[in-house]
Amino acid sequence: MPATLLIPLYRDEVAPRFDLAGEALLVHLDADGAELSRSSVLLAHASSEELCRIALEEKVRVVICNGIDDEFWQYLRWKRIEVIDNVMGPVDEAIARFRADALRPGDILFHRSDA
Amino acid sequence: MGNGPGCDAAPRTSSPDAGRPVSSPSARHNAQRRNRCFVSTQQTGPAAPHSIRSRAGSPARHGAPPPHVSGISPLPVDLAAMLDALPVGVALLDIDCSIRLMNRALETLTGFTTAEVRGIPCRHALRASICLYRCPLRRPLTTASGVTVATASGAHYDMIDDGELPPAQEGDILNRHRRRIPVRMSMSPLRDADGRVVGWLHAVEDLTLVRELEEKTAKGEAFGPLVGRSVAMERVFQALPAVAQNDGPLLVTGETGTGKDTLAEAVHKASSRAREPFVKASLSSLPEFLAESELFGHRKGAFPGAEENKPGRFRLAQGGTLYLTEIGDLPLSIQGRLLAFLDEGVIYPVGATDPVACDVRLVVATNRDPEQLVAEGRLREDLFRRLSAVRLHLPPLRDRGEDIEFLLNHFMGHFAARMKKTVRGCSGKALRTLLDYPFPGNVRELRNIAEYAVTLCHGETVMPAHLPAYLFQAKAEARRAERERRTGRVAGAFGQPGSPDASDTTGDAQASPGDGGEHLARTSVSDLERRLIADALQRTGNRRGEAAELLGWGRSTLWRKMKQYGMC
C-alpha cells in the first residue's frame, strides 16, 4: 500500500521534538515500499498544530518523530495516522528501517562506538 | 580524569590545544585543581568501594564499568551512586555533548536509562525546549576570546568560559511518556587535571511543584466553579474531595448567595455519580400536595387532574444526586417521607401502594441555622440528625476577608473577557467602597456588582461612578447607624434609663454581643434591606424577578424577605 511519511527534521536528524521542528520531510513510498519522491516543507515557525495540519492535508499515513506531546500523539492517532515516536537518529537511517519494516517506537539509530 | 569509556573527562580527541599552555580562563582554575576530585573508570583493584557501589551504579545499569571519583576518601567513590543521591537530575556529557551518565532522578524525569541513551547527543535524550535553538554549549565560532577546541567528531565549538555560561535557564522537557515537564537547567564545565574543559555537567531541576504552587497562588483554591483563597474557604476546599466521595446525605448551610447550589453541583460532579443526573428541586413556593407530587411523583388518578403517571424528582435523579434547595421550607409531612427514604431507600409516589426503590444521593441546603429551625419546630429533629452526619457550611462573604478583592478581580476578569473589554481593576475609592459594603447578597451580589461595573466602565479602571448607587446609600446608612450607635453609647455612659451600667464603660465600648449596639446594628441592617427591596422594586416597575436580579438574590430569597418585612 502506498504511503506518505512525515518526519520533523533537525539538520539531517529526526528532530528531537515535534513541536520545535522548523522543517519537515515528506517521503512518498509506493506499494512495495520503494521511495518515489521526497519533499521538504519549511515552516514559518515551529508548531505542532501546523505539522498536524500538513499531515492531514498531505494524507500522511505515518509520522516518524522523537519527542511529541501526548495531546498531538493522541490527535494523530485519532485521525488514523500511525505515529512512531521516540525515534532518535539520522533521518535516512529511519527511512531505511521503516522501508525494511524494522522501525519501532523508541529505536535509537545513532552509531555509538562505545555505548 | 581517566581515559576510559565511562564518564571520562580526558579528551579522546587530538585536540589542537592538547599539550599547549591553556588560556587565562582555564589557568584561573589551575590554582584550584589540586584540591579537586577526579573521575576515573579504571577499576581500583581489591580495594574497590563495595559499600558505595552496592547502592547503585552497577555495570549492568549503565552498560559500562561504573566510573569512580578519587581524592575525597582513601578509596575511590562510585560516581553513579553519588549522583543518584542527589535530588535533582544530573547528566554528565562529553565534549561533544553526548550523554555519558545520567543519575536516577534524571532517568525518572526523562524516562530513559543511561544504558539506552549513552553516547547519543543530549538534545535527543533530554529534549529540552532550549536544546535546539538556545543551547548554551553550541555557539558559532565568532568570539575572539576563549579557546577553540576540536572535538572527536571534528566539529568546532567556541569554548565557553565559566563566566559566560548563563546561570540557569528555564524551559521544559518532553519525556519518553510524552509528558511535558517544566524544568530549570544549568550547565557547568568539567575540567581535567590541566584545567581543560573536557565535558559538561548538566543539572535539570523539576519545577512541576513550583509551577503548580504558583498557579494555585495566582488563581486561589478552587473546587469546580467555586473559587477563593481565604482561610475560611480553604477549610471548605480541603473537606470537599472527601465529602464528594462519601455517598451519604449532605447538608449544606450558608447565607443566601454564598454558593450552596454551586457547591452541591460541584460535589455531584466530583462524586462517583458524576455521570448520572443532577436534579435540583426548589419546592418552597409550592403548596404541600404539589410539592409532594413534584418530589415523589404520582400515579394516574391519584388526585383530580393527575391524568398521567409522573415520575417525580426522585426518580428523575435515579443513580445521581437530588438537591433540595431549602429544607426548612418543606412541610413536615414531606420531611417525614424524606426520612423514610433515607432509612429504607424507597419512596412512595402519591397514590401508589407499592414502594419504589431509589438509588439517589440526597443533598439538602438551608440558608438558616438548622438548629434554630429544629427549635422552632420547622425541621424534624430526626431528619436533621440524619442529614447532619456530613455538613458543610459556606461562610458569608463578609467573613471571607481577602476573598472580596480576589473574587472581584476574578469576576471582573470574567466579564471583561466576555464583553471584550480591557477592564483591569478598581480605583482606590471604588475598592474601598466595596470593601466597606457588607454584601448581604454575598458572592452572587458581588458577581452582579462586577458585571454592572464592567458594563458601565469603558476604560481600564472601574471608578465609583461605575458602581451601583445603592452601595453609596448603604454606606451612608451604615455611617448613620454608626453615629446613632455612638450617640447611644454616650447617652448610656451618662446613666440614661435603660442603658447599660454607666460605670461599665469598658464593656460598652467593646459593644459585646447582645448589647444595645448590636441590636441597633441588626435593626439598621433590616431597615437597610427593606429600603433596598423597596428601591429595587421601584426601579424595576415592581417586577420581582428583575428586582431579585438587581439585588443579587434569588427570587425565593426576595419573596421570603418581602414576607418577613410584611411587604407582600
Side-chain angles (χ1 to χ4, degrees), chain B residues 153-211:
Chain B
S153 60
H156 285 69
Y157 296 100
D158 184 22
M159 283 308 300
I160 297 165
D161 182 23
D162 296 19
E164 288 182 78
L165 277 173
Q169 286 178 287
E170 290 193 4
D172 56 53
I173 65 169
L174 204 47
N175 76 4
R176 181 183 212 154
H177 311 295
R178 309 179 193 103
R179 204 180 125 224
R180 193 181 283 256
I181 302 169
V183 291
R184 181 186 291 125
M185 287 165 286
S186 56
M187 198 75 85
S188 313
L190 294 171
R191 295 176 186 279
D192 67 6
D194 296 322
R196 285 174 298 203
V197 175
V198 291
W200 307 95
L201 186 144
H202 200 349
V204 184
E205 191 183 348
D206 184 358
L207 296 182
T208 307
L209 288 177
V210 178
R211 290 281 177 273

Side-chain angles (χ1 to χ4, degrees), chain B residues 13-235:
Chain B
T13 62
S14 54
S15 164
D17 298 320
R20 84 176 193 204
V22 293
S23 69
S24 55
S26 300
R28 275 208 307 275
H29 298 275
N30 287 347
Q32 302 166 359
R33 69 189 161 84
R34 289 182 199 89
N35 297 326
R36 289 183 177 173
C37 307
F38 297 101
V39 178
S40 168
T41 57
Q42 291 167 353
Q43 291 297 325
T44 52
H50 305 292
S51 60
I52 296 175
R53 202 186 297 176
S54 63
R55 287 169 56 196
S58 66
R61 183 181 154 210
H62 298 292
H68 293 91
V69 179
S70 58
I72 55 173
S73 72
L75 296 176
V77 174
D78 184 335
L79 177 66
M82 197 167 82
L83 294 181
D84 280 349
L86 296 174
V88 295
V90 173
L92 296 182
L93 314 179
D94 65 17
I95 195 67
D96 291 329
C97 293
S98 294
I99 302 275
R100 310 311 306 178
L101 179 69
M102 295 198 302
N103 72 346
R104 191 152 285 167
L106 191 57
E107 287 183 343
T108 308
L109 216 55
T110 59
F112 295 106
T113 64
T114 298
E116 285 174 311
V117 296
R118 194 162 183 280
I120 72 162
C122 64
R123 60 180 175 274
H124 284 277
L126 297 181
R127 307 192 301 207
S129 51
I130 64 164
C131 283
L132 263 56
Y133 306 110
R134 288 189 292 140
C135 176
L137 300 181
R138 302 184 70 85
R139 291 169 43 165
L141 266 171
T142 50
T143 315
S145 63
V147 182
T148 303
V149 295
T151 66
S153 60
H156 285 69
Y157 296 100
D158 184 22
M159 283 308 300
I160 297 165
D161 182 23
D162 296 19
E164 288 182 78
L165 277 173
Q169 286 178 287
E170 290 193 4
D172 56 53
I173 65 169
L174 204 47
N175 76 4
R176 181 183 212 154
H177 311 295
R178 309 179 193 103
R179 204 180 125 224
R180 193 181 283 256
I181 302 169
V183 291
R184 181 186 291 125
M185 287 165 286
S186 56
M187 198 75 85
S188 313
L190 294 171
R191 295 176 186 279
D192 67 6
D194 296 322
R196 285 174 298 203
V197 175
V198 291
W200 307 95
L201 186 144
H202 200 349
V204 184
E205 191 183 348
D206 184 358
L207 296 182
T208 307
L209 288 177
V210 178
R211 290 281 177 273
E212 281 174 5
L213 198 63
E214 283 173 356
E215 207 170 306
K216 195 172 152 186
T217 311
K219 286 186 176 172
E221 283 272 3
F223 186 85
L226 281 178
V227 290
R229 60 178 177 194
S230 62
V231 179
M233 283 307 286
E234 206 171 288
R235 276 192 222 112

Side-chain angles (χ1 to χ4, degrees), chain B residues 216-221 227-234 396-410 431 434-435 439 443 446:
Chain B
K216 195 172 152 186
T217 311
K219 286 186 176 172
E221 283 272 3
V227 290
R229 60 178 177 194
S230 62
V231 179
M233 283 307 286
E234 206 171 288
L397 191 54
R398 61 181 174 278
D399 291 346
R400 287 173 60 176
E402 58 183 308
D403 271 356
I404 296 179
E405 196 172 344
F406 172 71
L407 288 171
L408 182 69
N409 289 329
H410 172 79
L431 186 61
L434 287 165
L435 293 179
F439 289 100
V443 180
L446 177 63

